[in-house]
Amino acid sequence: MKLALRFVRAAKQRLRQGESGFTLAEMLVVVVISGIIVAAVGSSFVVSTRAATSSNDRVDRSRDAQQTSTYFLSDAQNASYFSESTVPAPAMGSCSDFGADNVAVFEWTEGTVRKDAIYGLSGSPSELIRRYCEDGTKQYDVTLVRHVGSTIPEVTCPSTPCSANSAYLEMAVTETAGTYESAYSYTVRADPRTTGSGPTGPMGGIAIYVGQGGITTGGSKTTIKVDEGTVTVDGESKCNGDNDTSPAFDVEDGFYPESNTGCQNAGSGTAPSDPLIDLAAPTAPATSTTEPDKKNGYKPPNSTACGTSQPTFQPGLYPKDWALENGCLASGTYYFSTGVVLKNVTSAPGGVHIYIADGGGDFSNVTLSPLTTGDQAGITVFEARGIASAVKTNDDVTINGAIYLPAGELLVQSTSGYLQAGSINVKTLTFGGNSLGVIII
């Protein structure tokens, strides 16, 4: 360095003395020094650019994770319905889902407004989008994850199928590798709010009470999953002809069978008595305004009671065998004198009470919540005492409240669907074929 400085001073002195150029040695020194400086500056620039890009990648991913967690937690806590893929009936207008690319579907009602939050994949490269809708009309999309990896996001829970009342919901997300960062994976978790109609509702600490008719399970698919509350059986419990190789009962707080044949996870102890033994039946109301002289195929006038305009049945007395299909049940008590079919219906905010005076029932693809006030609060389905008719469930059925058939049979007979219930109190519980079973929510 000292030698270089001497060359520079000598060059300046010659210039002052009027000389006209540099020597070759001086030029070589300047070129070498300039190269060293330029290389150092360039290397510093590359390192700085790479660090900035890497930092931006980390910030973007952190922002995606925080935003996804915020929306997912809020939607899960608001929702009264959840599915990994299926938007509940009725179909929505301008708010289309993502079809086969659906990741999560949440729905709830505020006042009379139906609200849906649909998570799905869109675009190339794939982005995770949250689509928000009100009364079937799309409001906006939010991009949660801009670069979804080859592993698509998946929602899991402690027991399948997942629901809005699962103990928790988790969504695993993997983002693609950045310019200088490897692939990034994280999991967001939400603890949904549960209904008050389960073990802490009208059944107290009992999730399932079965009388002297006992329980008979179907094929190997059948499982009774109870995360909270006991299961009590006053009659025989027979699990898949004594050959069930998987647990038919998954009960956290105790299973009390009177007699047990082949059922696993059976506990011991003194079984509690019927917690609804003193429940009074509702008084028959006035004849419903929903054209009670008509049966199958009747469509009542539309209303927005369930959050969107659709055929809406009204509470009251139904003196004939009735089929209430493809619509909404306005809040109130429905009194069926000779049986009922409910198919593709949901209940309005405030809930419903379904009372079956005779004839049994057949439920398919329904989501019902109980009344919140009155003598029947928390009881969604009640079959009259002394009536031994069966209430059957097909496909997916969600009863947010108690099912009470004190002398009747609850027959879960779908081979592909499930029954989710707040609590069950029946004389006989039967699973037909390979039905998926019961999950107490």
Side-chain angles (χ1 to χ4, degrees):
M1 181 61 70
K2 292 181 179 180
L3 179 61
L5 292 175
R6 284 201 298 272
F7 273 112
V8 172
R9 284 196 294 271
K12 289 181 178 180
Q13 184 176 3
R14 282 194 296 272
L15 286 175
R16 285 195 298 268
Q17 294 171 352
E19 296 182 3
S20 59
F22 297 97
T23 66
L24 178 59
E26 292 169 342
M27 290 296 296
L28 289 174
V29 171
V30 171
V31 168
V32 170
I33 293 175
S34 298
I36 294 173
I37 294 173
V38 169
V41 172
S43 177
S44 175
F45 178 77
V46 170
V47 171
S48 177
T49 301
R50 179 170 181 171
T53 302
S54 179
S55 177
N56 287 337
D57 283 346
R58 289 194 297 271
V59 169
D60 287 344
R61 293 175 181 201
S62 176
R63 180 184 59 200
D64 288 351
Q66 290 176 357
Q67 182 171 249
T68 301
S69 178
T70 298
Y71 278 112
F72 189 76
L73 176 61
S74 176
D75 292 335
Q77 289 186 336
N78 284 325
S80 57
Y81 171 90
F82 168 79
S83 171
E84 295 174 50
S85 58
T86 304
V87 178
M92 296 190 289
S94 66
C95 187
S96 58
D97 63 331
F98 300 90
D101 291 322
N102 284 351
V103 172
V105 179
F106 297 97
E107 183 182 285
W108 65 96
T109 300
E110 291 185 14
T112 60
V113 180
R114 167 181 172 172
K115 299 187 175 185
D116 293 81
I118 306 171
Y119 293 60
L121 301 179
S122 179
S124 181
S126 292
E127 295 182 332
L128 179 62
I129 306 295
R130 176 189 182 265
R131 178 162 296 162
Y132 174 69
C133 316
E134 292 185 353
D135 285 341
T137 301
K138 177 181 172 181
Q139 302 298 308
Y140 56 80
D141 285 351
V142 174
T143 300
L144 300 179
V145 179
R146 288 179 293 176
H147 300 286
V148 177
S150 57
T151 302
I152 65 173
E154 181 181 10
V155 177
T156 57
C157 59
S159 60
T160 57
C162 299
S163 76
N165 299 100
S166 295
Y168 63 82
L169 298 173
E170 289 184 339
M171 182 168 65
V173 179
T174 299
E175 299 194 34
T176 57
T179 305
Y180 303 109
E181 296 290 330
S182 59
Y184 180 54
S185 298
Y186 53 89
T187 299
V188 295
R189 173 169 173 160
D191 298 316
R193 292 181 294 196
T194 57
T195 65
S197 55
T200 58
M203 293 273 284
I206 301 176
I208 299 177
Y209 181 91
V210 181
Q212 294 182 353
I215 295 178
T216 300
T217 69
S220 59
K221 289 184 178 180
T222 300
T223 298
I224 297 177
K225 172 69 175 176
V226 180
D227 290 330
E228 183 181 358
T230 63
V231 173
T232 295
V233 183
D234 194 27
E236 182 181 60
S237 301
K238 186 175 182 180
C239 296
N240 196 28
D242 305 343
N243 294 317
D244 195 4
T245 58
S246 62
F249 295 87
D250 186 358
V251 184
E252 297 292 336
D253 294 339
F255 171 38
Y256 302 100
E258 176 66 22
S259 62
N260 181 56
T261 306
C263 300
Q264 300 184 24
N265 292 4
S268 60
T270 303
S273 59
D274 178 1
L276 300 179
I277 190 67
D278 295 323
L279 180 67
T283 302
T287 301
S288 173
T289 58
T290 304
E291 299 289 338
D293 58 331
K294 295 184 179 180
K295 189 181 175 184
N296 297 316
Y298 170 71
K299 290 186 177 180
N302 284 17
S303 84
T304 58
C306 286
T308 187
S309 181
Q310 58 181 303
T312 302
F313 296 94
Q314 299 300 319
L317 173 63
Y318 288 81
K320 298 180 181 180
D321 188 16
W322 259 81
L324 277 57
E325 302 178 347
N326 304 315
C328 164
L329 302 184
S331 181
T333 296
Y334 291 73
Y335 193 108
F336 295 97
S337 297
T338 56
V340 61
V341 173
L342 298 179
K343 183 176 182 180
N344 299 327
V345 294
T346 58
S347 60
V352 296
H353 179 70
I354 306 297
Y355 184 77
I356 304 172
D358 199 358
D362 196 339
F363 296 175
S364 177
N365 286 324
V366 303
T367 300
L368 305 177
S369 294
L371 297 174
T372 56
T373 59
D375 293 338
Q376 277 73 43
I379 311 295
T380 309
V381 180
F382 184 1
E383 186 176 67
R385 301 182 187 280
I387 302 301
S389 301
V391 172
K392 306 173 184 178
T393 66
N394 291 280
D395 302 318
D396 294 340
V397 173
T398 299
I399 305 294
N400 294 304
I403 301 173
Y404 188 34
L405 317 176
E409 176 186 18
L410 178 60
L411 174 56
V412 184
Q413 59 184 2
S414 173
T415 59
S416 60
Y418 59 86
L419 168 64
Q420 294 190 96
S423 54
I424 293 172
N425 189 328
V426 299
K427 179 180 180 181
T428 305
L429 178 58
T430 305
F431 298 89
N434 283 323
S435 56
L436 297 184
V438 170
I439 299 173
I440 297 298
I441 57 178

